[in-house]
Amino acid sequence: MNNQPIHVAIAILYQKNKFLMQLRDNIPGILYPGYWALFGGHIEPGETPEVTLKREILEEIGYTIPPFVEFGCYPDERVVRHVFHAPLSVELNQLVLNEGWDMGLLTTENIYQGSCYSQNAREVRPLGNVHQKIMLDFIQTNQQT
């Protein structure tokens, strides 16, 4: 049994004062089922977090991510999250959701509340705790600049 945490690369994609997030599939066995989370995914053997991020964002929403910046690393016992940020330079309707239940541009209010309404789910769904913390850190860091 391998108890090593998995490594993932995830992106904070922002447009004006909103943040693109994915409503994860509501299926048992995945982390944060039915929760809002950041786009991204597992780092494959031999990949850098940067390469993973480009591949995952393209796979998940058909978006070629522009130059991006590392924001930080959020390790816990199960997952080491390598977090990057970049602008979202296209309209939401130009993205294709290939993975997940829904996607949306969440406001800072949604993030502080820890929940957001989903058209596809037809209900308010919660943010994953770790994802909410990352987003709050990001918002607070960028309010000082």
Side-chain angles (χ1 to χ4, degrees):
M1 182 78 191
N2 182 355
N3 288 329
Q4 293 297 313
I6 57 169
H7 284 252
V8 299
I10 54 179
I12 298 168
L13 296 171
Y14 51 85
Q15 189 172 80
K16 301 184 179 78
N17 288 317
K18 293 184 176 179
F19 303 93
L20 184 69
M21 295 190 82
Q22 171 196 49
L23 186 61
R24 292 176 58 81
D25 288 311
N26 201 11
I27 48 178
I30 66 169
L31 278 179
Y32 293 116
Y35 282 75
W36 290 102
L38 294 165
F39 281 100
H42 293 97
I43 299 173
E44 303 291 341
E47 273 186 341
T48 63
E50 293 79 4
V51 167
T52 297
L53 193 71
K54 289 178 184 173
R55 177 180 54 76
E56 286 284 343
I57 299 301
L58 193 58
E59 284 174 11
E60 291 183 350
I61 54 175
Y63 182 54
T64 302
I65 193 168
F68 51 90
V69 179
E70 188 162 2
F71 178 63
C73 188
Y74 287 76
D76 65 31
E77 61 284 346
R78 289 191 300 182
V79 184
V80 177
R81 293 173 180 86
H82 301 267
V83 184
F84 299 88
H85 64 91
L88 179 64
S89 58
V90 300
E91 295 302 313
L92 198 56
N93 64 12
Q94 293 178 263
L95 300 174
V96 179
L97 184 67
N98 296 314
E99 196 172 301
W101 190 4
D102 200 357
M103 66 177 162
L105 285 168
L106 277 63
T107 63
T108 49
E109 290 77 22
N110 295 145
I111 290 158
Y112 279 103
Q113 285 166 0
S115 62
C116 183
Y117 181 78
S118 159
Q119 278 313 128
N120 292 357
R122 294 194 180 87
E123 61 183 0
V124 172
R125 301 296 306 181
L127 266 74
N129 291 347
V130 179
H131 296 268
Q132 184 184 25
K133 179 185 183 346
I134 292 168
M135 294 304 301
L136 291 173
D137 288 353
F138 182 77
I139 290 164
Q140 283 152 6
T141 302
N142 288 287
Q143 279 174 343
Q144 291 149 9
T145 53

